[in-house]
Amino acid sequence: LVGFTMKNFAWDTLSKATDNRATKLAGGTYGELFKGSLSGGQRIAVRLLRNDGSKSQDDCERDLRALQQASHENVAALLGFCAERGHRSLVYDH
């Protein structure tokens, strides 16, 4: 994904941060949400987006741009994303 100012996380980093998806926080229409922690101790939540082919690359980029600009006290800050090796994930502050 090109043109984003948010961090592009490597899949290996997210897999390690979530202890291979050990703690599921929620599931839903858009995918499952897992608890994690980055190497510096920052707590994160990682949403693994469903990869059922229903969303194109353009759809995902459009969604990312909208989420990047969202700001509300009840909305977790979007820290970054992963679009590597067939994995599409969103990374939130937790």
Side-chain angles (χ1 to χ4, degrees), residues 21-76:
R21 302 178 300 247
T23 306
K24 184 176 174 180
L25 297 173
T29 304
Y30 297 106
E32 297 176 316
L33 186 69
F34 297 92
K35 180 179 179 179
S37 181
L38 295 173
S39 60
Q42 182 177 10
R43 293 177 9 168
I44 60 170
V46 178
R47 177 161 310 275
L48 293 175
L49 301 175
R50 295 204 191 290
N51 196 9
D52 60 7
S54 63
K55 284 193 159 234
S56 70
Q57 184 77 11
D58 287 342
D59 290 334
C60 289
E61 288 183 13
R62 190 171 26 259
D63 290 351
L64 272 175
R65 289 186 202 288
L67 286 168
Q68 184 180 20
Q69 295 173 4
S71 177
H72 188 276
E73 65 186 56
N74 295 330
V75 176

Side-chain angles (χ1 to χ4, degrees), residues 1-2 11-15 19 21 29 36 39-40 46 64 67 70 79 86-87 89 93:
L1 301 176
V2 179
W11 173 248
D12 290 340
T13 299
L14 297 182
S15 184
D19 195 21
R21 302 178 300 247
T29 304
S39 60
V46 178
L64 272 175
L67 286 168
L79 300 176
H87 300 284
S89 304
D93 189 31

Side-chain angles (χ1 to χ4, degrees), residues 2-8 65 68 79 81:
V2 179
F4 290 98
T5 57
M6 68 185 93
K7 183 166 176 64
N8 183 354
R65 289 186 202 288
Q68 184 180 20
L79 300 176
F81 65 95

